Every structure is written in structure tokens, then in C-alpha cells.
Amino acid sequence: MDFAQRSNSAPTGAPAPNRAPESKKSRRMGSKMGAVMRWGTVTLLVSGTILVVALVAMIGVSKTSEQSKYVNSGQYQAVFLNGGQVYFGKITSLNQRYVAMSDIYYLRVNQAVQPTAQQSDSSNDVSLVKLGCELHGPQDQMVINSDQIVFWENLKTDGQVAKAVAEYQKQNPKGQDCSAAAASTQTPATTPAATPKQ
């Protein structure tokens, strides 16, 4: 007998051995496994998305709290805007989108219409004005978009602005009186007409 020519495989022309037909039970198990895999994938994707959103929110909150920890609530702050305007007040809220302020003041430069020879261009009268008595009648609160702010800073209590605010509050213990400010800024509605000479 020649054992070298024997092999476990079927002869070339012989039909392949029959496999047992797949049972209904094994087909059900396969479809259940596929469903479990699909649900697992969906759950993994949803969990990953929630994790990414939570991380982004946490980073945003940490940046906000990072900057807001520098606000000294016992002092006034100066907020410098892109257009050159400066507002002095108390920052009440600060986040990535806006800065909210209250108890607001700003500087007004009073220039002479026609300066005399003794006055130079640099002798402008600068005064601190309390927000609230302007023509449009704003409340003493302001919300400024963060993209309009160049920078902000805490003010020392012995600085000129803080002293001017303290003096204003001392002179106006009941708060701002807009009726006096409105009377001083009103102009007469009509001017007397000149009478012709005969």
C-alpha cells in the first residue's frame, strides 16, 4: 500500500462533503448578534458625542471663570472699547460673549467752540458723567459684546476716577437727578424774530 499518495482530501472529481444545513436557531443567534453590534455602535457614537460636547462646555466655562476671577467686586473697572470709548463701572457678569456692567460713568470732553488766544488745544475740560440722563434715557446697566472690548482693568480706590465717583456719590446721596440735567441742556424751541426797520 502506498501511503504517500493518500490524502485526507476528496478526489478531484468527487463532490464536496455535505455540510449540515444552518439551523433556524443559529440564524436567529446571528441576527441577534448583529442587532447587538448595531446598538453597541450607536451607543458608542452617542456617548462619544456627549463626551465631546461636555469637554467643549467645560473648557468654555473654565475660560470664563478664569477671566472672571480677576474682577474685584469691591472696586470699579474700566472697560476700553474698540472705538476709543471708555466706560467705568462695576462688572457684574463676564463670559465669552459679553460683559455686563452697572453703576456706569464715562468721560466727556467739553471743548470751547472758538478757543481764545490764551487757551491751547490741550486745555479741554474733562468731566466724569453718570450714565442715565442722556437723551435716550438709558438705565444704569450696560451689556457689551466681548468682540468690542480691547481690554478691561480694575481701578485703584485712590485713583482719580474712583475719587471722582466717590465725590459724585457724596454730592448726590439720593442718586442722579435727571430733571436738573434736562433743564440745563434744553435749548429754546423758537428764537425771537427780528422786527424789520421802517
Side-chain angles (χ1 to χ4, degrees), residues 13-137:
N18 288 339
R19 293 185 182 166
E22 198 174 327
S23 69
K24 289 183 182 181
K25 186 176 180 180
S26 64
R27 272 187 268 155
R28 268 186 288 178
M29 285 295 287
S31 65
K32 283 183 182 178
M33 288 297 290
V36 168
M37 291 296 289
R38 282 191 296 273
W39 278 107
T41 303
V42 168
T43 304
L44 187 63
L45 287 173
V46 169
S47 299
T49 303
I50 290 172
L51 182 64
V52 168
V53 169
L55 284 173
V56 169
M58 196 167 61
I59 289 169
V61 168
S62 69
K63 283 184 181 177
T64 300
S65 63
E66 192 174 299
Q67 193 176 130
S68 64
K69 72 180 178 184
Y70 294 109
V71 175
N72 187 335
S73 59
Q75 295 175 332
Y76 281 87
Q77 287 78 40
V79 177
F80 295 81
L81 304 183
N82 289 338
Q85 183 64 291
V86 182
Y87 289 102
F88 307 101
K90 295 201 173 190
I91 293 178
T92 57
S93 181
L94 176 79
N95 63 35
Q96 295 284 21
R97 296 176 298 153
Y98 65 86
V99 171
M101 295 179 72
S102 65
D103 197 12
I104 302 164
Y105 298 83
Y106 60 93
L107 296 175
R108 178 171 48 205
V109 178
N110 303 315
Q111 287 182 308
V113 177
Q114 292 180 339
T116 62
Q118 294 114 357
Q119 293 176 330
S120 66
D121 290 339
S122 63
S123 65
N124 295 328
D125 179 28
V126 178
S127 59
L128 191 68
V129 179
K130 178 80 171 107
L131 181 73
C133 289
E134 291 76 15
L135 183 63
H136 59 289

Side-chain angles (χ1 to χ4, degrees), residues 1-9:
M1 252 198 202
D2 187 14
F3 290 104
Q5 291 184 3
R6 281 187 170 181
S7 70
N8 291 337
S9 64

